[in-house]
Amino acid sequence: MRIFAASLATETNSFSPIPTNRRSFEETVYFRPGEHPDRATHCTAPLWVARRRARQEGFELVEGSCFWAEPSGPVLQADYESMRDEILDQLRAALPVDAVLLGLHGAMIATGCDDCEGDIVERVRTIVGRDTTIGVELDPHCHLTQKRVRNADIVILYKEYPHTDFIERAEELVTLVLKTRRAEIRPVMSLYDCGMEELFPTGRQPGRGFVDRMSALEGKDGVLSVSLGHGFIQGDVPEHGTRVLVVTNDAKAAGDTLARTLGEEVRDKRGQWGLPYLSLDEGIDQAYAEPRGPVVVADPSDNAGAGATSDNTNVIRSLIERGCVDACVGPVWDPVAVAFCHAAGVGTTMNLRFGGKAAASSGQPIDAEVTVIGLCTDGRQSFGAASVRFGDAAAIRIGGVEVSLISERTQALGTEIFSAVGIDLASKRYIGVKSTNHFYAAFAPLATKVLWAEGGGSCPIDHRKYPYAKIPRPLWPHDDLPPGRLLI
Ligand SMILES: [Zn+2]
């Protein structure tokens, strides 16, 4: 048995002010064949898992290139094609193969292509033909298009948000692909369009229960895998929205019924899945009204993981102006300010301009006398089993407010984004994180309360504020709920 694996992934925010090119990938994650380290990253989990399973189960793995870029605007078409074609050329050179494993995020848009993953999977199918098994792992914040589902044999999404289960889902993908090759199963897929979009955090109800229910359905009655494609709010594409995907063992009718049943359940609970949002001031008021801290207050509007700049200053400015103490906020993406802090050294008090630089949605920069309280070089934060770079970083203190400044744009995932630069989270009343929900697994355990407050960044919480041109209409909550539809 000979299997090829590769990865090409990012999550495109159609409205992000940050351009994306090949260098954006190469500077974040770019492993050429054989260079993948012995640890998983989200989108490369199928390759990493297959490498281990190949040793254990005696099949041959041919490794292709792996690319990942932090979410930002559409990828330059020529650069997208160069990365895609690098992988396709590697696949051609590897032929014949029994199976192809692709780690794709699923919400990548290029300047000339709204469905990059559909394009990739279709081209892979053309190269390998119908007799080769194609298995794909996607992030639930994907556009679950018909083209990619029709051209793949098995598609599995992470179930958890925060995405703590990317390795487990990759293990399942490899298992199902191997079973298909051994003729033990014959996977068929059913895809149901819910006609809506919402956020589906799974640390709270009803999301938690829905994930448990999807998991409980698997492995019996011919059900091989169940996934909820949340969709990606900031992606302006024709197949935008929430979809249910069911993979059965040659039981298409039963899969169709289950996809419809689950899809209707999602629709019935619309408006209940998302997060309880406060205004910026309400977030600060409620955090300091708690008898004790720390209270973690997330700002989804400036989440780099959704394509925001992560340098909006509104929250920090409010905390300073209100004289708040025992507060910290991070990460603020500002490579220039980080370089100045490194040059000045720990303990230096100086005038610094920070934040508020990358776009109009960043707000105004803050000019203040700051004290440099901590530095780190080539910082990394943990996210489940993954390790995510945030580059050189610095912590500054302005009155009672401490700020984590980073040089490689990313959201708050692990507590290292603060601790690596010497910010003591346990002593804080207010911990402001620029993230929507991925912070939750690491930060909720140390918080007395978690709140979500809109900070005015480039990813507004009200989806109806985005200037969409391509999303399907009608679509809830932009319109009345249209009927659900079985697409495949
Ligand atoms: Zn995601």
Side-chain angles (χ1 to χ4, degrees), residues 400-467:
V401 182
E402 295 174 357
V403 178
S404 163
L405 303 168
I406 60 168
S407 55
E408 293 186 25
R409 193 176 57 92
T410 182
Q411 66 181 299
L413 301 167
T415 53
E416 301 96 329
I417 206 103
F418 294 101
S419 63
V421 285
I423 294 177
D424 174 31
L425 293 175
S427 67
K428 295 290 177 283
R429 287 294 307 272
Y430 182 108
I431 299 171
V433 291
K434 292 179 182 290
S435 175
T436 303
N437 198 50
H438 281 331
F439 70 94
Y440 194 87
F443 286 82
L446 56 89
T448 55
K449 194 165 195 175
V450 178
L451 303 171
W452 285 263
E454 163 114 44
S458 66
C459 296
I461 286 161
D462 183 348
H463 309 165
R464 291 167 297 187
K465 289 183 178 168
Y466 293 98

Side-chain angles (χ1 to χ4, degrees), residues 42 76 80 148 183 192 196 241 290 312 317 362 395 403 426 483 485:
H42 277 80
L76 294 181
Y80 159 62
R148 67 187 66 172
Y192 191 76
M196 58 175 278
E290 285 297 308
N312 180 284
R317 190 182 305 281
S362 304
V403 178
R485 290 183 303 153

Side-chain angles (χ1 to χ4, degrees), residues 366-406:
I366 294 178
D367 292 289
E369 186 177 84
V370 311
T371 301
V372 180
I373 58 170
L375 299 169
C376 98
T377 304
D378 197 19
R380 304 191 79 96
Q381 56 179 336
S382 40
F383 184 34
S387 168
V388 178
R389 271 166 40 183
F390 55 85
D392 293 351
I396 53 173
R397 182 182 294 134
I398 315 102
V401 182
E402 295 174 357
V403 178
S404 163
L405 303 168
I406 60 168

Side-chain angles (χ1 to χ4, degrees), residues 11 105 139-141 163 438:
E11 183 183 58
H105 178 286
D139 185 292
H141 299 113
H163 306 325
H438 281 331

Side-chain angles (χ1 to χ4, degrees), residues 146-220:
Q146 296 175 68
K147 184 189 267 189
R148 67 187 66 172
V149 174
R150 288 191 197 284
N151 281 287
D153 294 286
I154 303 164
V155 178
I156 292 181
L157 280 54
Y158 323 144
K159 287 185 172 63
E160 301 287 348
Y161 177 40
H163 306 325
T164 50
D165 62 329
F166 58 97
I167 293 175
E168 289 97 315
R169 300 290 86 78
E171 293 277 7
E172 288 169 7
L173 181 71
V174 172
T175 298
L176 293 182
V177 164
L178 291 173
K179 283 189 170 184
T180 305
R181 295 313 303 171
R182 295 180 193 125
E184 293 168 18
I185 56 170
R186 184 178 170 276
V188 292
M189 293 193 279
S190 302
L191 182 67
Y192 191 76
D193 181 7
C194 298
M196 58 175 278
E197 62 166 15
E198 199 167 353
L199 216 58
F200 296 87
T202 57
R204 57 195 298 121
Q205 298 296 6
R208 180 71 261 140
F210 195 78
V211 168
D212 294 341
R213 184 155 135 67
M214 285 195 289
S215 299
L217 288 162
E218 294 174 345
K220 54 189 177 222

